[in-house]
Amino acid sequence: MSAVTLSNLSWSTPDGVPVLSDLNLGFAAERTGLVGRNGAGKTSLLRLLSGDLQPQSGSVTVAGTIATLRQSLAPQSGETVATLFGVADALALLRRAESGEATMDELAEADWTLESRIESALAQLRLDTPLDTPLASLSGGQRTRAALAAAIFADPDFLLLDEPTNNLDRDGRDAVLSLLAGWRAGAIVVSHDRELLDTMDAIVELNSLGATRYGGNWSAYRERKALELAAARHDLADAERRVAEAARTAQQQAERKARKDGAGKRKAAKGDIPKIVLGMMKNRAENSSGEAARLAERQRSEARDAASTAREKIEILQPLTVSLPPSGLPANRNVLEIRDATTGYDRAILSGFSLDLTGPERVAVTGPNGSGKSTLLALITGRLQPWSGTVRVTDRVAMLDQHANILDPSASIRDNFTRLNPGATENACRAALARFAFRADAALQIAGTLSGGQRLRAALACTLGGETPPWLLILDEPTNHLDIESIEAVEAGLIAYDGALLVVSHDTAFLEAIAVERRIALPDGETDPARAG
């Protein structure tokens, strides 16, 4: 029976930073989603499972075969689709056989079903491309699908998939969802795609405390986490009650001791008690009060520790909530008007395109890779001029791409905020950043040192947290490469925003979470030069 088992597994970075510690975990022939914050060790764990990394201690035991899909699929010169499948030599033999140049021994080794089996694997990922197609000529999404087809072609006992839906359009995502829905062997999937995670049989969460397995899909996992949050809040309330009771008890004991001490001094002053008896009474009182003080301090310490543990757990479990100043956008104000616009690069990408946004409307732009989504954003932001037609945009507009290029990477979050919000006071700046969980010294972090999720959250804080938020916010694939916690933080900020929103995204769960009201589907087309490469 196929299985993957981790026993006391530990791994640290080459410079000695611990990433995974004493993991004991098993994976059966089921679909398991691997989740956790960026930096929790998800990709490192996949590399340990595949043998690309070796543990510093502990072991990985694999019963069965493994195929891996990695995040990075940068093609090398001369690589073709056939290279991904590892069948270049076998295909060359078939070509020689077809031209009558193969020897009898070679003919005996020829696999005449090879091409049809490869085509079948590619078809499962909805990809129709010749095997001699250079990988460099494919889009990132096409390369991902071709690599996944090559992985399932080997018919492994376990698939190891690292962010398989990144850079895929809706059709590509549907192909991956369909493949995994019908997959009956084992699969271990690192993903921030909640739609994909909802097809899983189990979820494993990696965090600083280790790994925890939850039966069921993403939705079931979130329900369990909500229960854990409620339990942690109950534990905190109970611990705070115990802290208060311990403080009251200590105060009462101190008051009783003071009264007894006062009474003893008054008796001693009268002189009617022998000195030896007074000494014994004093020692007993001191011993008793000392023991009571130690007991009270132990109770206070235990209650404080319990409260601290509960607060820490709540901080881990509790989703970010954000309150923002109103944008002041009137319901009937037109923030974007495109009339019969045609534009492109060396050829027209958008022809006769029209679009209106009025008031705090939320619009998603969708369409296959290459359909012109990036060209449309370039047109709206003025990076590309219309060849014909007109474009009018409110002057209160901001755009955030997935890399948060609005931030100066050499400056702190605080300094970025004051640059983007001139005139903001220090108190207003700190309050705005705190709403996005950048409190105290966290606001002084240099933007270039932040993770992708932190950068986008900081960019949202700087853009939406000022006294005059934009009337129109444009987002370009904001959830790419973010962990789920970061995505939910971005969602919290966008839910609190009351201006108009135009977002390009293939992430259905994200679009639903931010309450998109209208979707503009661009038709399929040739490669969009703004996306090329």
Side-chain angles (χ1 to χ4, degrees):
M1 183 177 179
S2 57
V4 175
T5 305
L6 313 180
S7 300
N8 301 315
L9 179 74
S10 295
W11 184 80
S12 302
T13 63
D15 55 354
V17 177
V19 177
L20 302 169
S21 300
D22 294 323
L23 288 190
N24 291 283
L25 197 60
F27 297 93
E30 61 182 1
R31 298 160 298 181
T32 302
L34 195 57
V35 302
R37 296 178 179 179
N38 286 344
K42 303 184 296 295
T43 294
S44 298
L45 180 55
L46 286 193
R47 295 186 66 194
L48 286 161
L49 298 181
S50 68
D52 288 350
L53 291 177
Q54 296 301 314
Q56 266 97 34
S57 62
S59 63
V60 177
T61 304
V62 179
T65 58
I66 281 179
T68 303
L69 174 73
R70 294 176 176 82
Q71 282 190 42
S72 177
L73 294 169
Q76 303 297 314
S77 177
E79 288 186 330
T80 65
V81 172
T83 307
L84 291 175
F85 285 81
V87 294
D89 291 343
L91 288 173
L93 171 57
L94 288 178
R95 300 293 173 259
R96 290 199 302 277
E98 290 167 353
S99 63
E101 298 173 1
T103 66
M104 292 299 294
D105 288 342
E106 287 177 326
L107 286 173
E109 296 176 359
D111 182 353
W112 297 101
T113 67
L114 179 63
E115 288 180 285
S116 63
R117 289 188 290 113
I118 293 175
E119 289 171 359
S120 175
L122 289 170
Q124 286 192 64
L125 276 299
R126 304 180 189 177
L127 193 61
D128 181 13
T129 185
L131 293 177
D132 58 0
T133 302
L135 290 180
S137 69
L138 299 178
S139 69
Q142 288 172 322
R143 284 198 295 271
T144 296
R145 283 196 267 174
L148 188 49
I152 66 170
F153 173 77
D155 194 23
D157 295 304
F158 279 93
L159 278 175
L160 305 183
L161 307 181
D162 197 355
E163 300 288 3
T165 57
N166 263 9
N167 303 313
L168 296 187
D169 57 20
R170 185 67 252 174
D171 186 58
R173 293 166 77 100
D174 286 344
V176 174
L177 289 168
S178 177
L179 170 70
L180 284 173
W183 188 254
R184 293 296 173 260
I188 303 171
V189 184
V190 170
S191 181
H192 65 258
D193 186 336
R194 290 162 291 183
E195 188 179 7
L196 175 62
L197 292 171
D198 253 339
T199 68
M200 299 291 104
D201 302 307
I203 301 292
V204 168
E205 179 189 52
L206 284 183
N207 56 38
S208 58
L209 303 177
T212 306
R213 183 186 185 278
Y214 297 82
N217 62 7
W218 171 258
S219 295
Y221 161 80
R222 293 303 293 170
E223 290 174 3
R224 286 284 302 279
K225 298 298 282 185
L227 292 175
E228 288 180 10
L229 176 59
R233 286 174 173 157
H234 179 273
D235 290 346
L236 176 59
D238 181 65
E240 289 177 336
R241 178 183 55 76
R242 286 164 53 201
V243 169
E245 286 179 354
R248 281 195 303 272
T249 300
Q251 180 64 28
Q252 290 167 355
Q253 289 173 343
E255 291 172 353
R256 281 198 298 270
K257 182 177 183 302
R259 287 194 297 271
K260 283 186 176 181
D261 288 349
K265 288 178 181 178
R266 286 192 296 272
K267 285 187 177 182
K270 290 180 180 179
D272 55 356
I273 301 177
K275 288 185 177 181
I276 189 169
V277 175
L278 282 173
M280 292 172 59
M281 290 172 62
K282 182 179 179 182
N283 288 337
R284 282 200 302 270
E286 287 177 349
N287 290 336
S288 176
S289 63
E291 181 62 30
R294 285 190 291 273
L295 176 61
E297 179 55 34
R298 186 166 66 249
Q299 290 173 337
R300 281 200 300 268
S301 178
E302 290 173 352
R304 284 195 296 264
D305 287 347
S308 176
T309 299
R311 285 193 195 96
E312 183 179 353
K313 193 165 188 180
I314 287 173
E315 194 170 309
I316 292 172
L317 293 170
Q318 185 166 260
L320 176 70
T321 57
V322 177
S323 61
L324 296 174
S327 68
L329 173 61
N332 59 351
R333 178 63 64 91
N334 191 288
V335 294
L336 174 63
E337 180 185 280
I338 304 176
R339 288 284 178 272
D340 298 318
T342 296
T343 192
Y345 297 86
D346 55 344
R347 61 178 179 81
I349 304 295
L350 297 174
S351 298
F353 183 83
S354 296
L355 175 62
D356 283 281
L357 262 73
T358 302
E361 189 177 10
R362 297 183 167 221
V363 175
V365 178
T366 62
N369 290 340
S371 60
K373 300 184 296 295
S374 290
T375 299
L376 174 59
L377 296 189
L379 177 68
I380 294 171
T381 55
R383 291 179 286 119
L384 194 61
Q385 296 301 311
W387 298 351
S388 63
T390 59
V391 178
R392 294 186 178 87
V393 188
T394 176
D395 57 357
R396 289 180 59 176
V397 59
M399 176 172 169
L400 297 182
D401 60 20
Q402 57 189 283
H403 305 295
N405 287 324
I406 194 173
L407 298 178
D408 177 354
S410 65
S412 69
I413 302 172
R414 175 207 169 276
D415 290 345
N416 271 290
F417 184 94
T418 55
R419 174 178 60 83
L420 294 167
N421 298 275
T425 65
E426 183 69 15
N427 284 343
C429 167
R430 291 301 187 132
L433 296 179
R435 285 194 291 267
F436 283 84
F438 293 111
R439 300 178 181 87
D441 288 346
L444 303 180
Q445 297 175 93
I446 302 302
T449 67
L450 302 175
S451 69
Q454 290 173 322
R455 267 198 311 273
L456 195 56
R457 179 156 48 92
L460 278 174
C462 293
T463 303
L464 302 181
E467 291 185 2
T468 55
W471 279 352
L472 171 61
L473 179 63
I474 302 171
L475 300 173
D476 186 11
E477 296 287 4
T479 62
N480 271 7
H481 310 296
L482 299 189
D483 58 42
I484 296 174
E485 180 177 292
S486 297
I487 292 173
E488 291 178 341
V490 170
E491 290 171 352
L494 295 178
I495 290 167
Y497 171 60
D498 68 350
L501 189 63
L502 181 69
V503 56
V504 169
S505 179
H506 299 300
D507 188 336
T508 300
F510 172 73
L511 296 178
E512 291 175 354
I514 62 173
V516 162
E517 303 159 298
R518 179 161 56 109
R519 304 193 186 202
I520 306 296
L522 298 182
D524 197 357
E526 298 177 22
T527 300
D528 178 355
R531 279 277 188 216

